[in-house]
Amino acid sequence: MTALTFLEQGFTRRNRRRSFATLFLLLFLIYFLLPLFWLIVSSTKSDPQLFSTFGLWFAHFNLVQNLREVFTYDGGIYLTWLGNTALYAISAGVGAALFATMAGYAFAKYRFRGRGVLFAVVLGSIMIPQTALVIPLYLLLSKVGIINTPFAVILPSLISPVGVFLMRVYAERAVPDALLDAARVDGAGEFRIFRSVSFRILVPGFATVLLLSFVATWNNYFLPLVVLSTPKYYPLTVGLAQWNSSSSAGGGANVLFSIVVAGSLVAVIPVAIAFLLLQRYWQGGLTAGGVK
Amino acid sequence: MANISFENVTKRFADGTVAVDSLTLEINDGEFIVLVGPSGSGKSTALRMAAGLEDITHGIIRVGGSVVNDLTPKERDMAMVFQNYALYPNMSVYGNMEFGLKLRKMPKQERKARVTAAAKMLGIGELLERRPAALSGGQRQRVAMGRAIVREPQAFLMDEPLSNLDAKLRVQMRTEIARVHQQLQTTTMFVTHDQTEAMTMGDRVAVMRQGALEQVDTPEELYKRPVNLFVGGFIGSPAMNMVLARLVAEGDKLFAQFGSQRIAVPREHLSQRKQLASYKDKEVILGIRPEDLEDAEFAPRADPDALLDVEVALAEPMGAELVTYFEIDAPPVITKDTRDLSTDLDELDANKGKSLFTARIDSQSSARDGKPLKVVFDVTRLYFFDPQTEAAIR
């Protein structure tokens, strides 16, 4: 064999490997996008068509009618749920990001007694599934008397152990000790340093945790299902599920499938917007130039 | 502005290492003092204790006469310049310089006046709106200086501020800092591991080693009268040549014998150093600086007893001078100090029984690699140290 054919073989082998990777990614893309596509297609169909036509292609375009029903059915409670979801997700997102940033920063930059143990506890709590915590959480919240109020959803969502872990790692890398020393000598107290110097540097991490908690709370179904019982406090997840089960249970008397599907589509949109908005904060290198 | 005094100040870290060991040092009002020493000598820790960034394990630090041990950095009113600049990346140059003043609730007009004045002094007036990321190393260093200047603090604390700059900029900033000090007359503590920086900048230089203060004096005194082997070897570049020698009297003359060679020791050394007489027929460590050696051709009237025949190992033309290296067949001085100073331990061990000398000789010298050379000692500038205590013989 000549050197040239060796070379050619090398190229084709590499090409083959590359196209294999592309194919693999393509499969993933389809896996993730197919349900979304189904959601978009189905939200344009009326109830009978939802079951009589091919699921992955459009039939008679009924989206406007569906949307109108989503926002008017049951006295327009969907809007209340949307508002609730936004309230829970935004307050939990901002709150969790803030607490995680402060805690992670403290773990990264201060030496205090019990630091190692406390951090181990935080790490350990990542491993405990929410389902295991729901009953004790329920008992606690009812003891305090905030069961079936928005606080019952928001307060537990403010805690983000993963966020604390992320922020610790991020702060360790991003905030140089010399910068804190410089601010101390300049006369800043610790909180002022956090506010005026460190936090600005930690914004990309803050945005990441904010987004993670926002999405987690937006999509959270189990916690609000357990702690809320009045429909006017429901978030979208619980509300839509209730509509869905009532249409299944009603023996066809109360068929809401098309508005459940359209409502789900509407519920996805704000999350996508949040992603796009926060994307610009994902830029590293903010500390560049501060210290060598 | 104020004087700073360290009284038996000790710093022991949580892991038990003693970074600063009973440091006593008086820094006068308006003085520019340089703390110099190899890494791990405790110079930075001493500075950080003065700033309030490290707790003081034992001892007292006074600023302007009052004890500051338990004061926060803010209450001490000092300004610090860091090796890596430590500028606030999220603020403009103006914001960086203004930050400390803002925290002290200074009116906006006055803040502006001070920042503008300092920026003008440092030649960074054009850069005030820029972020640190958009500045060069030298510019960042100026901003860090400016941030300290606008505060008009009790003292400037500088922690190796020039180490991150390239050689040319370093020299330039050296004069710049000296100029600023001359203008402001603010008490300044300057930490460096670079003895050249120490010698050129300090009113006085404090040489530290392993947490202890070895000697504090004017640069000239340190150079001329080091208290021990360590200071002798640390101050001066290239470093002082040292060799184990025996003092022998012959008739009314005194010689220092090392290996197969010997040089005369003038009488004046005996009168200047009362203890030296007691070292007759004993070993001493003989020191001679590279600049006090010369090619015999360029010192025609030299005492023949101050001449040495050597073979040049390496000759490096530096333009203004020729730096030559040669071996002396006498055991090198291996002490903890020379080990501390030596960058290459293997070199020491490999040369057992031979000492490598450095000489800065006239650039017109014909010394070349591998060629024999007659070297003249300036015997009036010899240094003597005790081989056991390593202290200078006085």
Side-chain angles (χ1 to χ4, degrees):
Chain A
M1 242 187 271
T2 64
L4 194 67
T5 50
F6 261 117
L7 215 63
E8 277 170 353
Q9 217 174 31
F11 272 126
T12 51
R13 194 168 299 153
R14 200 194 303 163
N15 279 346
R16 202 177 301 153
R17 204 179 302 148
R18 199 178 292 161
S19 45
F20 192 75
T22 312
L23 192 74
F24 198 67
L25 287 175
L26 216 60
L27 282 174
F28 263 96
L29 192 69
I30 293 168
Y31 176 81
F32 285 119
L33 284 186
L34 207 60
L36 187 65
F37 180 69
W38 180 89
L39 187 65
I40 292 167
V41 167
S42 302
S43 65
T44 66
K45 295 174 181 174
S46 65
D47 265 312
Q49 284 180 327
L50 205 50
F51 297 99
S52 58
T53 59
F54 177 56
L56 286 178
W57 203 244
F58 297 95
H60 178 67
F61 195 78
N62 202 35
L63 178 63
V64 179
Q65 177 63 26
N66 285 344
L67 285 177
R68 191 174 299 137
E69 273 184 58
V70 165
F71 285 104
T72 54
Y73 184 79
D74 202 1
I77 197 161
Y78 183 87
L79 258 183
T80 311
W81 293 343
L82 188 64
N84 289 342
T85 309
L87 173 73
Y88 301 157
I90 290 171
S91 46
V94 172
L98 196 63
F99 287 134
T101 305
M102 291 169 100
Y105 172 75
F107 274 125
K109 290 294 155 189
Y110 296 118
R111 330 244 139 229
F112 50 89
R113 194 186 289 268
R115 184 170 82 137
V117 176
L118 278 176
F119 193 65
V121 170
V122 171
L123 280 188
S125 68
I126 294 177
M127 328 265 171
I128 301 173
Q130 201 191 18
T131 24
L133 294 174
V134 154
I135 305 259
L137 196 61
Y138 183 90
L139 294 175
L140 272 174
L141 294 173
S142 78
K143 201 95 177 169
V144 187
I146 54 173
I147 273 298
N148 198 30
T149 68
F151 294 109
V153 179
I154 295 171
L155 279 182
S157 305
L158 289 178
I159 311 304
S160 170
V162 181
V164 174
F165 172 74
L166 279 179
M167 288 315 292
R168 178 191 179 157
V169 174
Y170 191 72
E172 254 165 16
R173 222 172 35 87
V175 184
D177 287 332
L179 208 56
L180 307 185
D181 284 342
R184 283 177 193 132
V185 174
D186 256 348
E190 293 305 319
F191 193 74
R192 180 65 192 252
I193 295 174
F194 177 74
R195 193 162 62 88
S196 299
V197 180
S198 311
F199 184 74
R200 308 301 179 89
I201 299 167
L202 294 173
V203 160
F206 176 85
T208 308
V209 178
L210 171 66
L211 199 62
L212 287 176
S213 324
F214 177 87
V215 173
T217 311
W218 187 279
N219 293 333
N220 199 347
Y221 170 69
F222 193 51
L223 179 70
L225 178 73
V226 173
V227 298
L228 299 176
S229 49
T230 314
K232 69 169 180 172
Y233 291 137
Y234 283 173
L236 286 169
T237 46
V238 179
L240 286 171
Q242 200 196 32
W243 276 357
N244 191 35
S245 58
S246 76
S247 36
S248 314
N254 197 11
V255 180
L256 299 170
F257 291 118
S258 64
I259 65 170
V260 169
V261 172
S264 303
L265 181 70
V266 175
V268 171
I269 292 168
V271 180
I273 292 175
F275 251 99
L276 294 177
L277 282 183
L278 290 180
Q279 207 173 25
R280 67 191 185 95
Y281 291 103
W282 273 306
Q283 40 182 341
L286 194 72
T287 36
V291 294
K292 196 183 165 181
Chain B
M1 276 184 268
N3 60 328
I4 304 171
S5 66
F6 290 74
E7 289 169 30
N8 296 311
V9 174
T10 296
K11 173 71 190 182
R12 186 180 294 111
F13 284 111
D15 63 358
T17 46
V18 178
V20 174
D21 192 1
S22 198
L23 172 68
T24 298
L25 178 62
E26 180 70 39
I27 301 159
N28 302 320
D29 190 3
E31 188 177 24
F32 195 115
I33 195 160
V34 177
L35 267 60
V36 69
S39 52
S41 58
K43 52 196 192 302
S44 282
T45 309
L47 192 78
R48 290 171 60 82
M49 283 194 285
L53 295 171
E54 298 281 359
D55 293 332
I56 300 161
T57 314
H58 295 298
I60 296 169
I61 297 180
R62 286 178 217 272
V63 176
S66 45
V67 178
V68 299
N69 282 35
D70 297 323
L71 296 187
T72 62
K74 181 181 186 174
E75 292 162 333
R76 295 190 193 196
D77 191 24
M78 308 228 191
M80 196 158 167
V81 180
F82 294 83
Q83 176 177 357
N84 52 17
Y85 322 130
L87 300 177
Y88 311 123
N90 54 305
M91 301 179 197
S92 66
V93 167
Y94 188 90
N96 265 279
M97 289 168 70
E98 186 196 34
F99 190 59
L101 305 179
K102 235 171 160 176
L103 290 168
R104 285 175 170 74
K105 311 230 173 359
M106 185 180 284
K108 199 174 177 182
Q109 282 305 314
E110 202 180 337
R111 294 201 306 250
K112 191 170 181 190
R114 282 207 193 178
V115 172
T116 317
K120 198 176 160 201
M121 185 190 235
L122 294 163
I124 50 173
E126 319 286 284
L127 309 172
L128 288 175
E129 296 311 312
R130 291 221 207 144
R131 291 289 171 102
L135 301 178
S136 70
Q139 289 169 334
R140 287 177 200 173
Q141 190 55 63
R142 276 165 215 266
V143 176
M145 283 286 299
R147 187 170 63 179
I149 290 170
V150 294
R151 290 261 315 278
E152 297 182 7
Q154 299 282 327
F156 290 136
L157 307 174
M158 305 195 184
D159 192 1
E160 308 220 8
L162 306 181
S163 304
N164 277 355
L165 301 175
D166 62 58
K168 199 177 157 197
L169 256 174
R170 201 177 306 160
V171 175
Q172 194 185 330
M173 283 307 291
R174 219 152 71 186
T175 49
E176 196 106 334
I177 290 174
R179 185 175 60 81
V180 166
H181 177 254
Q182 208 140 47
Q183 212 163 330
L184 302 175
Q185 294 292 324
T186 307
T187 314
T188 304
M189 276 178 86
F190 186 103
V191 163
T192 180
H193 61 263
D194 179 350
Q195 62 89 26
T196 315
E197 250 170 46
M199 296 294 278
T200 51
M201 300 189 75
D203 293 332
R204 283 192 305 155
V205 176
V207 183
M208 293 188 68
R209 175 180 52 156
Q210 292 179 332
L213 181 65
E214 296 290 316
Q215 185 173 7
V216 53
D217 246 318
T218 60
E220 196 190 352
E221 274 301 301
L222 281 181
Y223 181 85
K224 283 188 176 164
R225 276 176 279 277
V227 294
N228 58 25
L229 207 55
F230 175 78
V231 177
F234 191 77
I235 298 295
S237 173
M240 182 191 287
N241 300 300
M242 293 166 186
V243 68
L244 208 55
R246 179 174 281 275
L247 284 185
V248 285
E250 218 177 273
D252 61 344
K253 277 188 166 180
L254 190 64
F255 291 92
Q257 175 90 38
F258 45 96
S260 57
Q261 319 231 27
R262 67 180 195 178
I263 56 161
V265 176
R267 285 273 143 200
E268 63 203 64
H269 284 300
L270 285 174
S271 54
Q272 279 166 7
R273 298 174 176 79
K274 303 238 165 359
Q275 296 168 16
L276 193 60
S278 65
Y279 283 86
K280 255 177 217 167
D281 296 320
K282 285 189 191 156
E283 288 200 314
V284 294
I285 292 170
L286 180 74
I288 178 97
R289 294 196 182 273
E291 47 272 39
D292 298 331
L293 296 171
E294 186 53 276
D295 182 343
E297 262 186 68
F298 296 89
R301 272 187 289 267
D303 178 359
D305 284 334
L307 278 179
L308 230 56
D309 286 304
V310 300
E311 189 188 297
V312 177
L314 182 67
E316 291 178 334
M318 307 292 282
E321 65 197 14
L322 191 69
V323 177
T324 53
Y325 303 88
F326 53 86
E327 280 179 346
I328 299 278
D329 62 342
V333 179
I334 301 179
T335 61
K336 224 187 118 341
D337 285 337
T338 46
R339 274 185 194 282
D340 281 351
L341 293 171
S342 171
T343 49
D344 194 350
L345 283 177
D346 294 339
E347 189 187 316
L348 276 178
D349 294 336
N351 283 323
K352 267 190 188 127
K354 289 198 171 154
S355 314
L356 192 67
F357 267 43
T358 312
R360 296 167 62 178
I361 62 176
D362 196 291
S363 62
Q364 301 301 310
S365 164
S366 56
R368 292 294 174 266
D369 297 5
K371 292 269 170 59
L373 179 71
K374 271 193 194 306
V375 177
V376 180
F377 278 56
D378 184 345
V379 285
T380 60
R381 297 194 182 168
L382 296 175
Y383 296 82
F384 300 93
F385 303 96
D386 183 293
Q388 263 72 52
T389 65
E390 298 177 4
I393 298 169
R394 299 229 153 163

